[in-house]
Amino acid sequence: MMRSSVLALALLLGTTSLTLAAPPAPATSPAAPLIERAKFFGNPSRTQAKLSPDGKWLSWIAPRDGVLNIWVAPASDPTKAKALTAEKVRPIRQYFWSPDGKMILFVNDKGGDENFVLYGVTVATGEQRTLTPQEKTRVDIVGTSHRIKDRILVGLNNRDPRWFDVYSLDLAKGALTLVFKNDGYAGVTADEDLKIRLAGKSRPDGGTDFFRVVDNKVEAQPLGAVGLEDSLTTNPLGYTEDGKTLYWIDSRGRDTAALIAQDAATGATQVVGQSAKADVGEILADPKTGVVQAYAVDYLRTEWTALDPKIGAELDFLKTQLKGDIHITSRTDDDSAWIVVVDPVTAPAATYRFDRKAHTLTKLFVNRPELEGADLSAMHPVEIKARDGLTLVSYLTLPAGADSKGDGHPDQPLPMVLFVHGGPWARDGYGYNGYHQWLANRGYAVLSVNYRGSTGFGKNFITAGNLQWGRKMHDDLIDAVDWAVKQGITTKDKVAIMGGSYGGYATLAGLTFTPDAFACGVDIVGPSNLATLLKTIPPYWEAGKQQFYKRMGDPTTEDGRQLLHDASPLFKAADIKKPLLIGQGANDPRVNQAESDQIVKAMKEKNIPVTYILFPDEGHGFARPENSIAFNAAAEQFLGACLGGRAEPFGTALKGSSITVPDGAQFTPGLQAALAAK
């Protein structure tokens, strides 16, 4: 497959010797009991079930000695499970089966540095090997095949950190053989014979040229191209088993991305699936032939359209049997068995095995059984109009018991957390959301907004966010808050802003550019200076650099540098007058620690209080549950003091965490005492 590279205190007190007052009485009294934060952010009991290609084995991720590892059991008897891996520190979050079903392959990094290494474990013996042992190197899975069982294609950037050379990896021997030396291509697409057929190269305008590859040689002239406007909504998906058809997600000549089938020989194209409201986002393809059987479009919620009547009948059957949104996550090579995950939102997700021959569903597990029976909240998809008429698809969650009519409007206004997604070229969607559920349980309305620039809603919606960091993208968030106030969901003085990555940036922008709009903010790994952010992006994002420049501001031009400066919260730090909590991973390769360090320094120079939490063993976000629990323990005390919601006491929340607080522990209630007790 193609590898895509595109990626304060309540008052200005003037001193750092003061602390926030003890939390006031909650603004609401939710009927739901307080749910322990560890039930939301601790390890799931089991997750990510997969069937081996031959259907003999069932695997999943589950804790072993408190760390997520891979477990395997005979598919006929899941009770005979055994732990196949023994990671002691870093949880395993991604894995897949080798094509022959003999090995489990997984990737992991060290401390969040994102230099992912590929490991293989033989199921029969439990022997684990490091398949890509190169230092300071990131592995990328380029291609796997249902037909070729003994090897896969991987990309490695050890020769040049900017580009991924493609290697054939012999799984039994662990031998790497160079297939394609990459000197400037963003990614490649291989067929079922593991032959590279297509290569994409970034253009100076932020677009991509696509070239045919024959015998690992790239042709001189491109067979197709996209400009900047289509660059995030047009990419090849892969070839059918016979190599005759190439599928694309493609927005060329249209707004929303359609599913396109292209004749590999003639170049003729045919629209397979489309929607006027949103991009085609997922597909189901026949494991044997690679022919697409169904596709999904996600506007307010995910909706599947079957192209194969048999698959349509199966999807209809699953909908009648399972209550919630359905996801097919694994299929055997002979397609006789599926793994199906159902997300009811108001209950934890459950995983089933679907035997297609017997037409039976067998429940395998619930990922968080400790939440079964808990008073979880419904999520309401809503459409909000921005000031210029754009429609912002958003998701609202209210505390259990706060909405007696069940219509998405609380009986009385609530304090609210505006929870902003990262990316920004990503999106919020409908489904169980641990942050939404946790915050709603604490008594807050929670609103997540797909501001302009978010993906999934067509290229025009993305383009509307170009050069709008801290400008119209931020206006969308303010418009959503105004909507919530007008709807009686909250009051203007009781709104916090919180998020990670771009959401962290939005938090900093909210407290600097609109210092009176929010009561407080929680920034998780958010950049404060867009110029230094672009200067320090990882080298393996080289192919996407022009897109960053065209969509954020070009640091190689005077106008671009001014644009980036003006959109950087760092230079408005003196305007902050509301409480701010910052969380950062010391090894973050995307948003370096310096992004948080520099705004904390600027605030301290102006005697503006801030709580700064730093994890020395984390990167871009917090992978270890001990660290997530520790940070969120501080966050809910912080929000409770700011908005008046409920908060679970710290207790032993910092146990096992690497948490450090370089500055401002005294500004978050209970944090100093919890650190001392740790």
Side-chain angles (χ1 to χ4, degrees):
M1 293 186 66
M2 178 70 70
R3 182 182 62 83
S4 177
S5 298
V6 179
L7 154 129
L9 202 57
L11 297 173
L12 189 55
L13 298 174
T15 173
T16 57
S17 63
L18 301 179
T19 63
L20 286 169
T28 66
S29 299
L34 197 75
I35 302 172
E36 295 94 326
R37 71 179 76 85
K39 292 184 178 181
F40 295 116
F41 303 112
N43 282 321
S45 295
R46 280 183 282 183
T47 189
Q48 289 190 45
K50 299 181 191 293
L51 288 163
S52 61
D54 56 14
K56 293 180 180 179
W57 299 97
L58 177 67
S59 57
W60 60 80
I61 289 177
R64 178 182 186 180
D65 299 327
V67 179
L68 290 180
N69 275 278
I70 299 168
W71 294 66
V72 173
S76 58
D77 190 357
T79 63
K80 294 182 178 178
K82 62 179 180 180
L84 197 63
T85 60
E87 295 295 301
K88 303 297 185 185
V89 179
R90 197 77 177 160
I92 295 175
R93 291 164 289 160
Q94 303 176 61
Y95 82 101
F96 61 102
W97 279 92
S98 64
D100 60 9
K102 295 180 180 179
M103 297 176 68
I104 290 281
L105 304 170
F106 71 95
V107 296
N108 218 342
D109 65 353
K110 296 179 181 178
D113 64 5
E114 297 188 8
N115 286 322
F116 289 104
V117 174
L118 180 65
Y119 302 91
V121 189
T122 302
V123 174
T125 65
E127 177 192 4
Q128 179 170 318
R129 288 180 297 157
T130 303
L131 298 174
T132 57
Q134 296 81 2
E135 291 291 323
K136 296 182 179 180
T137 298
R138 179 183 173 98
V139 67
D140 189 26
I141 307 303
V142 173
T144 62
S145 169
H146 290 92
R147 187 161 60 231
I148 297 174
K149 302 287 190 180
D150 60 347
R151 60 188 180 91
I152 64 174
L153 297 181
V154 299
L156 295 172
N157 65 338
N158 56 316
R159 180 184 61 85
D160 184 332
R162 299 172 301 170
W163 312 111
F164 288 78
D165 294 333
V166 180
Y167 291 83
S168 175
L169 171 61
D170 185 309
L171 294 171
K173 300 177 181 177
L176 288 163
T177 303
L178 181 65
V179 171
F180 179 76
K181 184 179 179 182
N182 184 354
D183 287 315
Y185 293 91
V188 299
T189 303
D191 62 15
E192 277 290 305
D193 290 323
L194 296 183
K195 292 181 179 178
I196 297 173
R197 300 274 298 275
L198 196 69
K201 190 168 190 175
S202 297
R203 305 189 327 193
D205 66 354
T208 303
D209 287 329
F210 295 101
F211 296 84
R212 186 179 284 109
V213 180
V214 180
D215 294 330
N216 296 321
K217 302 292 184 183
V218 181
E219 292 187 346
Q221 297 300 318
L223 62 84
V226 299
L228 175 68
E229 68 277 7
D230 291 296
S231 58
L232 289 178
T233 44
T234 300
N235 263 306
L237 290 179
Y239 290 88
T240 50
E241 189 273 343
D242 59 13
K244 294 180 179 180
T245 301
L246 172 62
Y247 286 110
W248 295 78
I249 296 294
D250 200 324
S251 63
R252 285 174 284 188
R254 53 193 301 124
D255 177 22
T256 56
L259 175 64
I260 302 292
Q262 182 177 35
D263 186 300
T266 68
T269 60
Q270 177 185 354
V271 176
V272 177
Q274 60 185 320
S275 166
K277 283 196 166 185
D279 301 330
V280 172
E282 295 180 70
I283 62 166
L284 288 176
D286 187 301
K288 291 181 180 178
T289 66
V291 173
V292 174
Q293 299 167 309
Y295 66 90
V297 170
D298 184 359
Y299 182 62
L300 297 177
R301 294 178 63 170
T302 299
E303 296 180 2
W304 283 94
T305 298
L307 302 171
D308 181 324
K310 292 181 180 179
I311 294 300
E314 304 289 39
L315 293 174
D316 289 342
F317 169 75
L318 293 174
K319 289 177 185 176
T320 63
Q321 299 297 309
L322 303 172
K323 303 305 178 186
D325 282 10
I326 293 166
H327 307 275
I328 314 301
T329 60
S330 178
R331 299 166 75 174
T332 56
D333 276 355
D334 65 4
D335 214 20
S336 64
W338 294 359
I339 295 297
V340 182
V341 178
V342 60
D343 179 1
V345 179
T346 54
T351 298
Y352 293 78
R353 175 192 168 115
F354 177 38
D355 188 321
R356 295 186 67 201
K357 292 181 180 178
H359 230 243
T360 56
L361 273 171
T362 304
K363 191 174 185 177
L364 297 174
F365 57 79
V366 172
N367 68 346
R368 293 188 181 272
E370 59 272 24
L371 288 177
E372 287 189 287
D375 285 318
L376 300 182
S377 297
M379 176 178 275
H380 302 275
V382 295
E383 294 175 301
I384 299 172
K385 286 292 184 183
R387 64 190 68 178
D388 62 359
L390 275 185
T391 299
L392 312 175
V393 171
S394 305
Y395 298 92
L396 175 68
T397 303
L398 300 174
D403 174 14
S404 60
K405 295 180 181 178
D407 62 357
H409 288 78
D411 300 333
Q412 60 182 4
L414 300 163
M416 188 177 85
V417 177
L418 181 70
F419 198 88
V420 186
H421 74 70
W425 305 292
R427 63 161 292 171
D428 284 307
Y430 180 85
Y432 171 87
N433 184 305
Y435 275 93
H436 271 240
Q437 295 292 351
W438 165 61
L439 291 167
N441 182 258
R442 287 352 186 208
Y444 306 119
V446 191
L447 181 63
S448 289
V449 181
N450 284 305
Y451 47 85
R452 71 193 64 208
S454 301
T455 54
F457 305 99
K459 67 186 181 188
N460 293 337
F461 193 79
I462 296 173
T463 300
N466 287 355
L467 307 180
Q468 296 302 320
W469 282 49
R471 296 176 176 84
K472 290 182 180 180
M473 291 164 74
H474 188 64
D475 289 345
D476 290 345
L477 300 178
I478 299 299
D479 292 348
V481 171
D482 290 343
W483 171 88
V485 171
K486 290 177 182 177
Q487 293 289 318
I489 293 164
T490 190
T491 56
K492 204 165 184 65
D493 62 336
K494 284 290 185 179
V495 181
I497 182 169
M498 178 178 184
S501 196
Y502 180 89
Y505 163 82
T507 297
L508 297 178
L511 267 59
T512 52
F513 302 150
T514 53
D516 295 311
F518 299 98
C520 56
V522 180
D523 153 34
I524 305 169
V525 298
S528 62
N529 182 343
L530 300 188
T532 53
L533 172 72
L534 290 177
K535 190 175 181 179
T536 57
I537 59 173
Y540 49 82
W541 283 8
E542 179 68 23
K545 190 161 67 175
Q546 289 303 320
Q547 279 212 49
F548 284 113
Y549 291 1
K550 297 295 187 293
R551 297 189 189 277
M552 294 175 61
D554 189 342
T556 67
T557 69
E558 187 171 343
D559 287 347
R561 287 190 291 271
Q562 188 63 50
L563 193 71
L564 293 167
H565 178 278
D566 293 345
S568 295
L570 176 64
F571 305 110
K572 292 283 188 179
D575 292 339
I576 296 175
K577 53 184 178 180
K578 300 294 176 64
L580 176 60
L581 170 65
I582 294 176
Q584 177 70 45
N587 304 317
D588 192 337
R590 307 187 203 183
V591 178
N592 289 184
Q593 180 184 331
E595 293 298 320
S596 291
D597 287 350
Q598 58 192 346
I599 197 163
V600 170
K601 181 175 182 289
M603 292 174 69
K604 287 178 66 178
E605 288 175 351
K606 297 293 184 179
N607 292 318
I608 304 172
V610 56
T611 299
Y612 179 23
I613 293 176
L614 179 67
F615 295 96
D617 59 349
E618 294 286 9
H620 197 62
F622 312 138
R624 295 184 60 228
E626 295 89 347
N627 292 335
S628 291
I629 290 169
F631 182 80
N632 291 327
E636 67 176 292
Q637 295 292 337
F638 174 87
L639 290 170
C642 169
L643 297 181
R646 305 188 301 177
E648 180 186 358
F650 270 100
T652 59
L654 306 191
K655 184 179 180 181
S657 168
S658 67
I659 187 172
T660 65
V661 186
D663 287 289
Q666 68 271 31
F667 302 125
T668 293
L671 181 54
Q672 282 182 309
L675 287 166
K678 180 178 183 291

